[in-house]
Amino acid sequence: MSPDVDCPDTDCVVIGAGFGGIYAIHRLREAGFTVRAFEAGSDVGGVWFWNRYPGARCDVPSLSYQYSFSAELDRDWNWSERFAPQPEIQRYARFVAERLDVLPAITFDTRVTAAAWDEELTGWRVVTDTGTTVTCRYLVSAVGALSAAQTPPFPGLADFAGQALHTSQWPEDGVDLAGRRVAVIGTGSSGIQAVPEIARTAASVTVFQRTANFSLPAQNRPLTDDELRAAEAGYADRRAATFTTRAGHVIPTTGKRILEVSPEERRAELERAWERGGNEFLATFVDTGKDLEANRLLADFVRDKIRSIVSDPVTAEKLTPRDHPIGSKRICVDTAYYEAFNAPHVDVVDLRDEPIETFTATGLRTAAAEYAFDTVVFATGFDALTGALTRIDIRGTGGRSLADEWAPGAQTYLGLAVPGFPNLFTLTGPGSPSVLVTVVIAIEQHVDFVTDHLLHLREHGLTRSEAEPEARDRWTEQVQATTQLTLHRHAPSSWYLGTNVPGKPRLFLPYAGGLDAYRRICDEVAADGYRGFAMTGARAEVAS
Ligand code: N01
């Protein structure tokens, strides 16, 4: 027997030092486990470290986009704006990491490239791109749901002689786009936030749009001292809301059904919500996320707004979404996106009318025209929820590959565990609420669950936990059945479904039942002795 047979180098390896990694290191260490973490970036923050494109900011109010577990942290951090910009969110991650003293546990500039389950060891052998190999009993993935950048394989891309950027891999020192002719491909949250900012200085901006998206005005502004004081005083209520709300925070609503109010009342309420700003607009009425006719009334209001903002009717029509219910794809929140198209140097090309045929040395050619530009910005999103994990060569029992396991569609138990991959826990993984709720709160709940689970194993002298196939199958059925209760199923395509990635099977990936319901389920699983997890002692311990 080799000396490390029953003694891995560390109890836990955490992959990633974004919001998930930071809190996981903290909780696990607090529970008495030894932890090492690896982070590909040179600082903490995860997606907020990489996603530095102009205009990047959160679209959940800053006051809700923060950890809830510590009154002290809450008290000692003050957001400057209602929707914080990327540099401030990254500073917040750094502030928390320093306060919790997790930095010494993290090896930066180091990407985990492979991890293999070792039955003899009852643990994982983790390999990095710097040549480090470390063994651990438990592998905690905090890789993020939206972190594996996706650049479509456009023909001729290698021939393009200009500058190519991806919104989520923006150079750390920024890019000067002043006076440049810029093409932006993609009109999701990233493209919609970036376009107005890029347009401030660029000579021209041509937006290549495949699907018109719904976007709501952020109505961003500085937070006042009164608001900050009220937030501090309301900490306990906000903390309580993380346990009792679908989204992880309270979202204002009239509590009324749009189908039951008069057209005048409907318009007045929606105008008020539009002026308040943010994606809370979607919750103004309680039936618009469930009923197609109710949803159409809400969408019509936004379509009217687009027509009233964009001066040129042809451009307005191109920008008007018609192929999906509002909210069935991730809603965008912008600052002066539609307004940007009133400037003479900003234009939109509808790729439904003229698909991209090929990139050329000087730009690209569609079915209708040639476009020349100096810089192309790919705002084409992510291989969401699975990509960051399947890009690591993860091998479970018998050498089975996680990428192969998920090739027909990612299936998990609770979004956290996969049969055949013992002692691997996938924070905010596919099959959990993750991207449909305030992700920082989803992270806290997952980390707490995993930490409690590891404590349970330790207390019972157990060292191996593996999701049971039947538990995974039942959970997958539940995830898909829950989706049927929402309007998400009416979106012809979205990254929730994986359809933005060529070859990825169409399967709704997040759990749509709400964080409150999900938390109850997890609590019941724990109370029931971690039902659905097969738990045993280490092989060496069993043999002795
Ligand atoms: O990515 P997306 P994103 N040819 O996938 C288009 C979070 N986020 O980076 O809709 C042409 O939404 C694609 O078109 P279509 C947030 O959760 C949050 O913008 O697939 N176009 C789409 O328009 C968000 O939802 C914040 O037809 C192609 C765009 O590229 C998520 O991250 C900020 C194409 C991709 O949009 C992802 O947002 C930023 C092709 N081959 C991100 N392939 C905030 O908190 C794709 N597209 C504010």
Side-chain angles (χ1 to χ4, degrees):
M1 260 185 198
S2 66
D4 69 355
V5 160
D6 57 358
C7 184
D9 300 332
T10 182
D11 294 328
C12 307
V13 162
V14 173
I15 313 176
F19 281 74
I22 292 170
Y23 186 55
I25 299 166
H26 169 66
R27 277 287 279 126
L28 291 166
R29 274 195 334 198
E30 208 182 40
F33 296 101
T34 54
V35 184
R36 281 197 68 179
F38 294 99
E39 165 55 55
S42 56
D43 203 348
V44 293
V47 74
W48 292 107
F49 171 84
W50 297 103
N51 240 31
R52 303 166 177 270
Y53 61 85
R57 56 179 71 248
C58 59
D59 58 7
V60 167
S62 320
L63 290 168
S64 301
Y65 201 85
Q66 58 185 344
Y67 294 107
S68 74
F69 67 92
S70 161
E72 289 72 32
L73 287 177
D74 198 85
R75 182 196 61 209
D76 294 346
W77 181 264
N78 283 330
W79 295 105
S80 65
E81 295 177 49
R82 189 168 169 225
F83 297 102
Q86 173 269 332
E88 188 175 354
I89 301 174
Q90 210 225 324
R91 278 201 302 281
Y92 172 70
R94 180 88 197 174
F95 156 78
V96 175
E98 284 174 3
R99 284 288 289 269
L100 301 178
D101 194 28
V102 301
L103 295 172
I106 305 167
T107 306
F108 289 103
D109 299 308
T110 303
R111 183 177 289 280
V112 170
T113 52
W117 174 252
D118 183 331
E119 200 69 64
E120 282 293 305
L121 178 71
T122 315
W124 288 90
R125 288 182 187 278
V126 180
V127 180
T128 74
D129 62 354
T130 58
T132 310
T133 298
V134 63
T135 57
C136 62
R137 180 129 293 157
Y138 303 109
L139 182 57
V140 178
S141 152
V143 293
L146 292 158
S147 54
Q150 178 67 19
T151 301
F154 290 111
L157 189 51
D159 300 332
F160 178 58
Q163 182 184 37
L165 303 166
H166 192 288
T167 45
S168 77
Q169 296 172 334
W170 207 258
E172 205 169 335
D173 296 332
V175 186
D176 185 6
L177 295 174
R180 293 179 77 87
R181 298 166 303 161
V182 180
V184 177
I185 302 184
T187 51
S189 298
S190 304
I192 279 176
Q193 285 188 331
V195 164
E197 281 301 311
I198 294 172
R200 280 174 190 271
T201 58
S204 65
V205 180
T206 309
V207 178
F208 292 89
Q209 169 195 276
R210 187 166 69 180
T211 308
N213 225 332
F214 288 99
S215 189
L216 305 169
Q219 314 287 18
N220 189 33
R221 57 177 173 71
L223 287 169
T224 63
D225 289 345
D226 283 352
E227 283 172 310
L228 291 171
R229 266 194 298 275
E232 196 180 315
Y235 168 75
D237 289 343
R238 270 185 294 124
R239 172 69 174 159
T242 66
F243 294 88
T244 53
T245 54
R246 277 182 72 84
H249 70 281
V250 174
I251 301 179
T253 171
T254 60
K256 298 174 188 169
R257 294 167 57 82
I258 201 169
L259 292 172
E260 288 175 359
V261 298
S262 67
E264 294 73 25
E265 186 175 356
R266 178 201 322 154
R267 176 152 288 279
E269 292 292 2
L270 292 178
E271 286 290 353
R272 263 197 289 279
W274 185 268
E275 286 313 313
R276 242 189 348 259
N279 59 21
E280 296 169 355
F281 173 88
L282 291 184
T284 310
F285 293 102
V286 294
D287 48 352
T288 53
K290 297 179 190 139
D291 181 298
L292 272 179
E293 179 54 15
N295 186 280
R296 187 187 61 75
L297 293 174
L298 190 73
D300 280 349
F301 179 90
V302 178
R303 286 190 272 259
D304 286 348
K305 282 287 181 193
I306 297 170
R307 272 191 292 274
S308 73
I309 297 168
V310 181
S311 330
D312 172 39
V314 176
T315 305
E317 183 51 33
K318 284 184 191 170
L319 293 171
T320 300
R322 299 200 183 278
D323 79 333
H324 62 280
I326 184 168
S328 62
K329 294 175 78 156
R330 167 71 182 228
I331 194 77
C332 301
V333 175
D334 70 273
T335 297
Y337 174 66
Y338 295 117
E339 289 84 343
F341 292 90
N342 292 333
H345 69 300
V346 181
D347 208 356
V348 59
V349 173
D350 188 340
L351 297 177
R352 303 269 169 121
D353 293 342
E354 43 175 310
I356 293 173
E357 286 184 345
T358 184
F359 269 72
T360 64
T362 55
L364 64 75
R365 189 172 66 237
T366 68
E370 294 261 359
Y371 296 88
F373 41 81
D374 308 306
T375 300
V376 57
V377 174
F378 292 106
T380 44
F382 302 90
D383 183 352
L385 289 130
T386 57
L389 273 167
T390 55
R391 289 177 191 186
I392 301 172
D393 185 15
I394 297 178
R395 304 273 164 173
T397 53
R400 66 172 80 181
S401 133
L402 185 66
D404 289 348
E405 195 78 9
W406 281 356
Q411 299 189 11
T412 64
Y413 180 39
L414 299 174
L416 267 170
V418 186
F421 297 84
N423 291 8
L424 167 66
F425 299 98
T426 55
L427 305 180
T428 65
S432 75
S434 64
V435 292
L436 296 181
V437 303
T438 305
V439 75
V440 193
I441 304 303
I443 283 167
E444 282 187 9
Q445 187 267 339
H446 259 188
V447 170
D448 290 345
F449 180 89
V450 170
T451 309
D452 291 346
H453 183 47
L454 301 196
L455 284 170
H456 174 89
L457 295 174
R458 192 170 69 192
E459 280 158 19
H460 292 80
L462 303 166
T463 47
R464 191 186 191 283
S465 167
E466 180 177 354
E468 293 166 348
E470 303 73 29
R472 172 202 55 200
D473 294 347
R474 276 196 304 273
W475 182 247
T476 302
E477 270 171 34
Q478 198 168 335
V479 170
Q480 296 311 313
T482 309
T483 309
Q484 293 307 311
L485 306 175
T486 73
L487 294 187
H488 292 299
R489 68 190 189 282
H490 294 290
S493 69
S494 76
W495 57 258
Y496 295 147
L497 289 161
T499 50
N500 61 324
V501 178
K504 193 166 173 176
R506 185 188 170 90
L507 183 73
F508 192 82
L509 290 171
Y511 170 74
L515 187 58
D516 48 354
Y518 177 79
R519 188 191 287 275
R520 273 197 302 277
I521 294 166
C522 288
D523 289 350
E524 283 163 18
V525 165
D528 207 5
Y530 292 94
R531 185 181 67 228
F533 291 93
M535 295 171 288
T536 53
R539 180 182 273 225
E541 287 158 293
V542 170
S544 63

